[in-house]
Amino acid sequence: MKTEKFDAIVLSSLSEKEGFRTLTGMLKETPLPDDELLANLGLYLTSKNLSRLLFFYEIYKKIVHTHGIIVEFGVRWGQTLSVLSALRGIFEPFNRHRKIVGFDTFEGFKGMGKEDGEACRCRDGSFNVTPAYEDYLSSILTIQEALNPISHLKKYELVKGDAVETVPSYFKSHPETIISLAVFDFDIYKPTRAALESVKPHLCKGSILVFDELCDDVFPGETVALKETFGLNNLRIQRMPMTARISYVEVE
Ligand SMILES: C[S@@+](CC[C@H](N)C(=O)[O-])C[C@H]1O[C@@H](n2cnc3c(N)ncnc32)[C@H](O)[C@@H]1O
């Protein structure tokens, strides 16, 4: 159920894991030449991994006609941020207002509490990344921007630290913020609750909230945080057919 190095949860079966291991080995020893590798990365995509990308493609299409920034709460290795940046490059390369802001400790979970239950068998520090990973990710996001127009304007920001402090402080120093898309993926209660409370004044009709763990018994804290801040009764919690776990709410 856990990855070997960083205490992350994987629900794959043994045979799936075996398949993933084989594909990973094949990627590491790829016969593809360097100058064709990136263009052919889909060769190694599984349906599960592709499904998440397709979800964000569909979500991005929904925000193209709304004004505001994108925030991700819980970045980890940053694939979602990078994909969102690529989608911005495809759909609205000149929208300098579509800032993408990611919050993470870059040191794993912080603030596990009783609302998070026991099922995930996590602790503070689970889902860690490698040292100074935020610098590596920042370089990738800079290249993503450089490959698209108006790259002289930096349109991403990584905010490192405990979200219980960094998120309220970010919005305090950016009172102009309108949120077009917020992705909640801290997994656990305390930072999720802090983020939900902070985004409230910055939402408008059409803003989209994406959740990675609603109704998930392994990580109950995310649902508890949403119940306590917005309540469930007024929300239309929707999903898409290609992914089981991710859901979204369109503010009405
Ligand atoms: C499941 S991962 C996020 C995955 C990412 N959204 C993606 O698409 O690949 C959860 C992240 O939440 C972060 N996190 C948990 N508690 C936090 C806190 N109190 N403050 C900031 N980040 C936190 C962890 O460091 C971890 O990187």
Side-chain angles (χ1 to χ4, degrees):
M1 208 176 167
K2 295 289 187 105
T3 58
E4 281 168 27
K5 284 196 182 156
F6 294 102
D7 206 23
I9 293 203
V10 185
L11 296 178
S12 317
S13 69
L14 285 178
S15 65
E16 278 176 306
K17 278 188 189 158
E18 187 50 41
F20 296 153
R21 231 189 322 269
T22 306
L23 265 182
T24 306
M26 293 177 82
L27 170 60
K28 281 170 127 174
E29 291 179 11
T30 186
L32 273 68
D34 284 356
D35 59 357
E36 292 193 51
L37 183 58
L38 291 185
N40 287 284
L41 271 187
L43 185 58
Y44 302 96
L45 266 181
T46 62
S47 52
K48 178 170 175 282
N49 295 335
L50 176 60
S51 70
R52 203 174 164 90
L53 305 186
L54 292 177
F55 175 90
F56 280 101
Y57 163 71
E58 292 296 338
I59 287 290
Y60 206 101
K61 284 196 293 184
K62 287 180 180 290
I63 67 159
V64 169
H65 296 287
T66 69
H67 200 43
I69 73 163
I70 297 174
V71 276
E72 188 183 34
F73 300 111
V75 168
R76 200 156 189 246
W77 302 116
Q79 171 173 258
T80 304
L81 279 191
S82 185
V83 166
L84 288 167
S85 176
L87 287 167
R88 180 181 58 195
I90 293 168
F91 285 115
E92 41 180 8
F94 294 99
N95 186 357
R96 70 181 175 83
H97 284 93
R98 189 77 78 201
K99 229 167 67 175
I100 300 179
V101 186
F103 296 86
D104 208 296
T105 58
F106 295 104
E107 293 174 355
F109 285 0
K110 175 115 177 66
M112 279 285 295
K114 62 176 177 1
E115 294 84 356
D116 301 305
E118 302 288 329
C120 74
R121 290 188 293 116
C122 287
R123 53 186 168 76
D124 278 6
S126 293
F127 285 78
N128 199 355
V129 286
T130 46
Y133 184 75
E134 64 278 11
D135 297 338
Y136 179 84
L137 178 57
S138 186
S139 303
I140 288 188
L141 295 173
T142 300
I143 295 170
Q144 279 280 13
E145 289 198 341
L147 294 170
N148 287 292
I150 57 166
S151 59
H152 60 294
L153 300 178
K154 185 174 176 239
K155 298 177 290 304
Y156 76 86
E157 193 171 342
L158 297 177
V159 184
K160 180 175 168 134
D162 183 354
V164 169
E165 286 152 26
T166 57
V167 175
S169 137
Y170 176 87
F171 286 105
K172 198 167 171 214
S173 55
H174 290 87
E176 77 285 1
T177 303
I178 295 173
I179 293 177
S180 178
L181 168 64
V183 181
F184 293 86
D185 198 6
F186 283 139
D187 294 356
I188 59 175
Y189 171 78
K190 273 193 197 129
T192 305
R193 190 184 158 124
L196 282 163
E197 273 167 356
S198 295
V199 299
K200 249 186 181 175
H202 301 276
L203 299 176
C204 56
K205 285 188 182 172
S207 300
I208 292 190
L209 313 180
V210 167
F211 296 92
D212 208 44
E213 267 84 25
L214 284 189
C215 197
D216 189 320
D217 57 353
V218 179
F219 287 112
E222 190 173 289
T223 315
V224 175
L226 182 64
K227 256 161 74 179
E228 290 178 2
T229 49
F230 284 68
L232 297 181
N233 299 154
N234 294 322
L235 299 180
R236 190 189 306 272
I237 300 173
Q238 304 184 70
R239 57 181 295 278
M240 291 191 193
M242 70 287 254
T243 50
R245 206 177 60 205
I246 326 180
S247 57
Y248 70 97
V249 168
E250 208 167 326
V251 176
E252 296 172 11

